[in-house]
């Protein structure tokens, strides 16, 4: 718990130091989704001469107020768990944080198809036990997550997301911030991703286009919400493959 708060910039610096130790002077491509996409973008700004291609997937140039709010509720679930204050594993807080977060990773359409209003066998007692299938699913995800994920890591990862905002150092101008990048870009978004919506990816694309920089963009139809970038979607994989097959690495 005494480990300092870190930023995306810090992570990129540590990755660059590791690359130095491995004797890697330049990356053919850096690829990331979500928070990883932010790192792929940040690499082009901190070390512009060391990246030839950046694949920024299901990401955003910064978090919206709504996203920061979701992160704060999840953190408070952990920080207010009595076990955390005592230095023990905050199982209840981690469960709640994961349940909340997982809702934001899915789309309404996906949840409707997968669960709808289906109830578990023997339900209908008009109480507060788990009755709906979607409740059962969220509880399962929360239990599983709390078994293995570290609470302090969760706190710091969400804070790193909150702080990421490359435009802030350029007077609020994303165009000015991205002007230093020398990489070519592939930006990918997903139609039902409401946490990092396609509009947020297009902000990155628009800034690059305005600067005359090389960027390709794809918005992929998917029912999986933000989790789409983790799914074995053939169209998505074909786009990434085609980009890498048809550019000079």
């Amino acid at each position: 718990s005494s480990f300092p708060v870190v930023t995306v910039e810090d992570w990129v610096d540590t990755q660059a130091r590791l690359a130095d130790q491995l004797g890697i002077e330049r990356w053919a491509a850096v690829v990331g989704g979500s928070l990883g996409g932010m790192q792929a973008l940040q690499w082009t700004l901190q070390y512009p001469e060391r990246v030839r291609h950046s694949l920024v997937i299901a990401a955003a140039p910064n978090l919206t107020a709504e996203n920061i709010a979701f992160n704060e509720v999840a953190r408070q679930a952990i920080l207010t768990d009595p076990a955390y204050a005592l230095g023990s594993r905050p199982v209840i807080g981690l469960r709640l944080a994961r349940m909340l977060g997982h809702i934001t990773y899915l789309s309404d359409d996906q949840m409707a198809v997968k669960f709808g209003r289906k109830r578990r066998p023997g339900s209908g007692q008009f109480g507060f036990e788990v009755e709906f299938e979607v409740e059962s699913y969220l509880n399962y995800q929360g239990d599983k997550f709390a078994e293995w994920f570290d609470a302090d890591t969760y706190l710091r990862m969400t804070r790193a997301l909150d702080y990421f905002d490359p435009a802030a150092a350029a007077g609020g101008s994303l165009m000015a911030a991205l002007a230093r990048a020398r990489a070519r870009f592939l930006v990918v978004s997903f139609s039902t991703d409401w946490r990092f919506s396609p509009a947020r990816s297009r902000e990155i694309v628009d800034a690059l286009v305005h600067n005359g920089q090389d960027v390709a963009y794809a918005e992929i139809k998917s029912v999986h919400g933000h989790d789409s970038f983790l799914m074995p979607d053939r169209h998505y994989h074909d786009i990434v493959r085609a980009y890498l097959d048809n550019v000079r690495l």
Side-chain angles (χ1 to χ4, degrees):
S1 62
S2 62
F3 197 87
V5 171
V6 294
T7 65
V8 170
E9 293 88 340
D10 294 329
W11 285 335
V12 169
D13 278 335
T14 61
Q15 292 158 14
R17 292 188 183 190
L18 175 60
D20 291 341
Q21 291 296 314
L22 296 174
I24 300 170
E25 296 181 1
R26 194 178 192 191
W27 297 106
V30 289
V31 186
S34 191
L35 180 53
M38 292 177 171
Q39 292 175 70
L41 181 62
Q42 188 61 35
W43 255 100
T44 70
L45 306 182
Q46 278 176 247
Y47 300 96
E49 303 302 327
R50 298 186 69 170
V51 182
R52 296 196 70 174
H53 298 274
S54 178
L55 282 69
V56 181
I57 300 167
N62 56 31
L63 289 195
T64 62
E66 182 182 49
N67 269 302
I68 295 172
F70 279 123
N71 285 346
E72 174 60 7
V73 173
R75 284 192 296 268
Q76 285 301 316
I78 294 171
L79 293 170
T80 59
D81 187 324
Y84 185 79
L86 296 173
S88 300
R89 189 174 188 79
V91 174
I92 295 174
L94 277 169
R95 285 183 75 254
L96 293 174
R98 177 58 173 177
M99 291 168 73
L100 174 66
H102 205 71
I103 293 169
T104 71
Y105 307 148
L106 306 177
S107 72
D108 185 48
D109 289 343
Q110 181 190 19
M111 294 179 77
V113 170
K114 190 170 185 177
F115 305 110
R117 291 184 51 82
K118 289 184 291 188
R119 296 197 184 192
R120 304 183 71 196
S123 64
Q125 304 305 313
F126 299 99
F128 296 104
E129 298 299 320
V130 173
E131 292 196 38
F132 290 89
E133 289 291 349
V134 68
E135 293 176 319
S136 177
Y137 174 77
L138 289 175
N139 275 277
Y140 169 77
Q141 291 293 334
D143 289 339
K144 185 171 67 172
F145 186 78
E147 289 177 0
W148 65 273
F149 206 87
D150 178 71
D152 289 305
T153 299
Y154 194 97
L155 296 175
R156 281 152 185 76
M157 286 180 66
T158 56
R159 249 325 180 209
L161 277 163
D162 293 348
Y163 285 137
F164 182 73
D165 188 4
S173 170
L174 185 60
M175 290 181 291
L178 296 184
R180 64 182 305 178
R182 297 294 176 264
R184 297 179 177 181
F185 290 84
L186 172 63
V187 179
V188 178
S189 66
F190 297 89
S191 59
T192 55
D193 183 355
W194 59 273
R195 184 144 200 192
F196 290 164
S197 70
R200 303 309 318 281
S201 289
R202 288 195 295 269
E203 290 179 33
I204 298 172
V205 174
D206 290 346
L208 292 169
V209 169
H210 183 274
N211 290 338
Q213 291 160 283
D214 194 324
V215 56
Y217 173 64
E219 180 181 327
I220 298 170
K221 291 183 178 179
S222 173
V223 300
H224 297 292
H226 186 55
D227 270 356
S228 295
F229 80 97
L230 300 171
M231 298 297 165
D233 184 302
R234 183 176 178 179
H235 187 200
Y236 161 41
H237 290 180
D238 284 349
I239 287 172
V240 172
R241 184 179 296 108
Y243 178 84
L244 294 175
D245 283 347
N246 289 281
V247 297
R248 291 180 56 197
L249 295 179

